[in-house]
Amino acid sequence: MSFRSSVVQELQEFRLMSCMQHPKLLTSPSLVTTRQNEQALLLSLLQDLSATPELLQLLNSRIKKKNRVIIRRVGLLFFFFVHCALAGAQSLSLSLEDCLTMAQQGSVTQQNARLGILAAQAQRGEAQTLWFPNVQARALGFQAFSPLLTIGLSDVLGYSDGANMLRYYLETQGNLYGINTSYASLLNGYTTALTLTQPLYAGGRIVNGNRLAALGVEAATLKANVAVRDNRLSVGQKYWLVVSLEDKQQVLDAGLQLLDTLMRDVRSAMDAGLALTSDLMQVQLRRDELISDSLRLASGLRLARQDLLNTIGDPPPTPSREGGEALPLAGERGEGLVLTTRLTDLEAPEQYYVPEEDAAARADEAQLLWLQVKAKQLERRMVLGEALPEVGLGVTYGYGRMLSNSPRSNGLVFATVSVPITDWAKTSRKTRRVGYEMQQAENEQAYLSEQLVLRVRQAWEELVLCWQQLTVAERSVETAHTLFFQLERSHAAGMTTTAELLQAELTLRSAQNTLADRRIAYAEALSRYRVLTE
């Protein structure tokens, strides 16, 4: 074993013993790094020594009990810390706020919410274009096989006897005087025109359409706020899940260290004839059980870390080694991820209380319900506008050659009035349908508004319950801790069996796991309540 590895192993043993002697150190912000890598382990020692006087006192007492080799190892820990810091750590340290910020920037949910706002704004701009005149440009050119228009004397004079005599005379004598008795045109031609149409009245559909588009922008913004809130809750839950699993890993590590010590004591007692083989086998079975639990927990912890990284988006690029070779991502498979926000001082929920009706009225969902009713009202007005006349004014100007041999230009001003007579029956039934939908929206607003109040009340009840359960769990840990060390002293004196001591260790470990769960549950409940009442 290298000198560096022996130093790290010694430090791990020291910290595990400190956790068993002082259970409150399980919530220390740096204990999460014990089983990750040597760099994080050395960093955590420096944090613990500066933040926790108990650890410094334990370290001093442990140095006195060890030989000079151990003293030299511990004394050179800070040298290794500087060395590792200069070499560049591969760990990725993230606080809860860092995760929330990264999720807001790189989350797919947040990106889609922003795209939804942009789409609503584009739709509003689309509706605003209906206020402006409609300008169209047209061009036409053609070449026929024969003239499309042919006019003879019969077409002008008719077929009476006098007309026939006059037609005969003109046809026989016209050529002598250069008179053409027939006219042919539209063999080919072209024309271009520019038309401008300004709607003056469209049954109110343009006005109501713009109002509906404005409501769409507001609704998209509120939905984005809801998406941000839900994403923050999701990130918080996954963050605290990782923290909970890390705390449970600390409890298992402390339990394994305890069982290793107990196994050495039992072997010494067996050599002295004071213990039986069955006692050693019981300790070994319990140790194997903890190792199995630790392996399963480590697998779940890796998946939970990776899930957290996937939720908040890709982590920032890591530094590269000398020569340009990139270091592996600190978040690959969750290895090297250090969560710095821990649960230390939790306060009672009374200071966070907000009246339920006020919180429900400020909720984005309440505003969305009101916008839904307003949108149905505007939609009904637009349907009514389909049965009203449409009035427009326009002007057109064209240039081309059609009937004459030379091109000409001309223009005109026109007005249009359109009355949808045959659509009245369809519009009447459509109006009734939209009216029913509007009543449904009003009923949903009344019902869901009460549900929003109930949601806030439920969040408050859950917060209070989690605080009460946390208080009970803290008392249970203190009781289990006292019981265990009493039985440990009795076992050392030969007054307690190994089975009783193992049962006390199991009770203490279960109480510590329950306390970790209760802390995480209270943090999640508090986060949810504060989000709902902001």
Side-chain angles (χ1 to χ4, degrees):
M1 180 183 297
S2 65
F3 176 67
R4 178 185 176 88
S5 300
S6 63
V7 171
V8 173
Q9 181 178 2
E10 177 66 24
L11 179 59
Q12 289 176 338
E13 182 180 355
F14 156 69
R15 297 184 65 186
L16 291 174
M17 291 188 62
S18 66
C19 291
M20 294 303 302
Q21 297 182 20
H22 294 271
K24 67 178 183 179
L25 295 179
L26 289 172
T27 61
S28 175
S30 57
L31 288 180
V32 63
T33 59
T34 301
R35 294 180 59 86
Q36 293 177 359
N37 49 45
E38 297 176 2
Q39 168 64 17
L41 186 61
L42 297 173
L43 288 170
S44 64
L45 175 63
L46 182 60
Q47 295 174 356
D48 285 345
L49 290 177
S50 61
T52 311
E54 291 86 348
L55 278 181
L56 185 58
Q57 183 178 359
L58 287 173
L59 180 61
N60 292 332
S61 61
R62 187 167 178 81
I63 290 176
K64 295 178 181 180
K65 295 179 181 179
K66 293 293 181 178
N67 53 31
R68 292 185 176 180
V69 177
I70 300 301
I71 295 176
R72 185 173 63 253
R73 292 176 179 178
V74 178
L76 291 177
L77 281 176
F78 293 101
F79 168 77
F80 280 107
F81 165 73
V82 175
H83 171 74
C84 294
L86 294 176
Q90 299 183 19
S91 62
L92 177 63
S93 299
L94 293 175
S95 65
L96 179 58
E97 290 300 326
D98 294 335
C99 293
L100 294 176
T101 302
M102 293 176 62
Q104 188 173 1
Q105 296 175 353
S107 172
V108 176
T109 303
Q110 301 300 313
Q111 294 177 3
N112 290 338
R114 288 190 290 268
L115 291 176
I117 295 177
L118 294 177
Q121 292 175 348
Q123 187 176 10
R124 183 180 183 181
E126 178 184 350
Q128 290 175 345
T129 59
L130 298 177
W131 292 107
F132 302 101
N134 182 17
V135 180
Q136 294 182 348
R138 295 183 178 90
L140 173 64
F142 68 93
Q143 174 67 50
F145 294 105
S146 59
L148 300 178
L149 178 62
T150 303
I151 301 176
L153 293 176
S154 300
D155 298 324
V156 178
L157 300 176
Y159 295 93
S160 62
D161 294 339
N164 291 332
M165 292 177 61
L166 181 59
R167 179 176 58 81
Y168 176 77
Y169 176 77
L170 293 174
E171 287 179 350
T172 56
Q173 301 296 325
N175 293 331
L176 299 177
Y177 299 97
I179 298 175
N180 189 4
T181 58
S182 64
Y183 173 77
S185 182
L186 295 180
L187 179 63
N188 53 45
Y190 64 89
T191 182
T192 59
L194 185 66
T195 303
L196 183 147
T197 305
Q198 173 63 54
L200 300 180
Y201 179 73
R205 284 178 292 173
I206 297 179
V207 176
N208 293 322
N210 278 271
R211 292 174 180 173
L212 189 60
L215 289 182
V217 175
E218 188 175 354
T221 303
L222 292 174
K223 289 180 180 179
N225 295 337
V226 174
V228 170
R229 183 198 66 194
D230 293 342
N231 189 62
R232 289 176 63 88
L233 290 175
S234 177
V235 171
Q237 290 175 355
K238 294 178 180 181
Y239 184 95
W240 294 123
L241 174 61
V242 176
V243 172
S244 175
L245 294 178
E246 290 174 347
D247 291 343
K248 291 181 179 180
Q249 187 70 65
Q250 296 297 321
V251 174
L252 283 177
D253 291 341
L256 285 172
Q257 180 65 32
L258 172 66
L259 291 179
D260 290 341
T261 303
L262 181 60
M263 183 173 293
R264 290 193 298 268
D265 295 340
V266 172
R267 282 199 180 99
S268 300
M270 287 179 58
D271 296 338
L274 301 176
L276 301 176
T277 307
S278 59
D279 294 334
L280 182 62
M281 295 176 63
Q282 290 178 5
V283 177
Q284 183 63 45
L285 289 175
R286 180 60 57 81
R287 185 177 182 276
D288 293 340
E289 179 183 349
L290 291 188
I291 292 176
S292 177
D293 293 341
S294 179
L295 293 175
R296 183 171 62 253
L297 185 59
S299 176
L301 185 57
R302 285 194 299 270
L303 293 177
R305 287 171 176 164
Q306 188 62 49
D307 187 24
L308 175 62
L309 291 176
N310 292 339
T311 302
I312 64 178
D314 294 334
T318 56
S320 59
R321 297 190 182 97
E322 295 181 0
E325 181 183 358
L327 291 172
L329 283 178
E332 285 186 356
R333 298 185 58 81
E335 297 297 336
L337 177 62
V338 180
L339 302 183
T340 58
T341 303
R342 318 297 290 189
L343 295 176
T344 53
D345 297 329
L346 297 176
E347 299 179 351
E350 284 75 14
Q351 60 177 328
Y352 304 107
Y353 177 76
V354 176
E356 302 162 356
E357 291 76 10
D358 297 342
R362 295 195 305 266
D364 294 326
E365 290 85 350
Q367 303 299 322
L368 284 172
L369 292 173
W370 180 84
L371 290 179
Q372 183 179 1
V373 175
K374 187 65 176 177
K376 287 299 179 182
Q377 293 175 352
L378 293 175
E379 184 179 354
R380 186 172 183 273
R381 294 178 184 177
M382 293 184 65
V383 173
L384 290 174
E386 295 178 0
L388 299 177
E390 296 183 13
V391 180
L393 184 65
V395 58
T396 182
Y397 186 84
Y399 176 83
R401 181 182 61 81
M402 299 292 288
L403 298 176
S404 61
N405 293 327
S406 60
R408 299 175 57 188
S409 61
N410 201 350
L412 59 90
V413 178
F414 62 91
T416 63
V417 178
S418 176
V419 181
I421 298 177
T422 58
D423 291 341
W424 283 350
K426 183 183 71 174
T427 304
S428 176
R429 290 169 174 80
K430 188 175 181 180
T431 302
R432 287 200 297 267
R433 175 178 60 82
V434 176
Y436 298 147
E437 294 177 354
M438 184 179 66
Q439 293 179 3
Q440 290 179 344
E442 292 174 350
N443 294 335
E444 288 181 359
Q445 181 189 20
Y447 171 73
L448 294 179
S449 296
E450 295 295 331
Q451 291 298 110
L452 292 177
V453 175
L454 181 60
R455 183 183 67 173
V456 177
R457 183 179 302 129
Q458 181 181 3
W460 170 253
E461 293 293 338
E462 181 181 358
L463 181 63
V464 173
L465 176 61
C466 291
W467 175 256
Q468 294 173 349
Q469 291 178 338
L470 174 60
T471 304
V472 174
E474 289 176 345
R475 291 201 304 265
S476 299
V477 169
E478 294 178 359
T479 303
H481 184 268
T482 303
L483 176 62
F484 173 78
F485 282 103
Q486 288 179 355
L487 291 178
E488 186 182 32
R489 288 191 294 268
S490 300
H491 181 268
M495 301 174 61
T496 303
T497 63
T498 304
E500 292 175 339
L501 183 59
L502 291 176
Q503 182 61 37
E505 183 274 334
L506 178 62
T507 303
L508 175 59
R509 179 159 48 87
S510 176
Q512 291 172 340
N513 286 331
T514 302
L515 177 60
D517 291 337
R518 295 293 181 258
R519 286 179 176 272
I520 299 302
Y522 181 74
E524 292 179 353
L526 179 59
S527 176
R528 174 177 174 79
Y529 181 76
R530 297 189 66 178
V531 166
L532 293 178
T533 55
E534 288 179 352

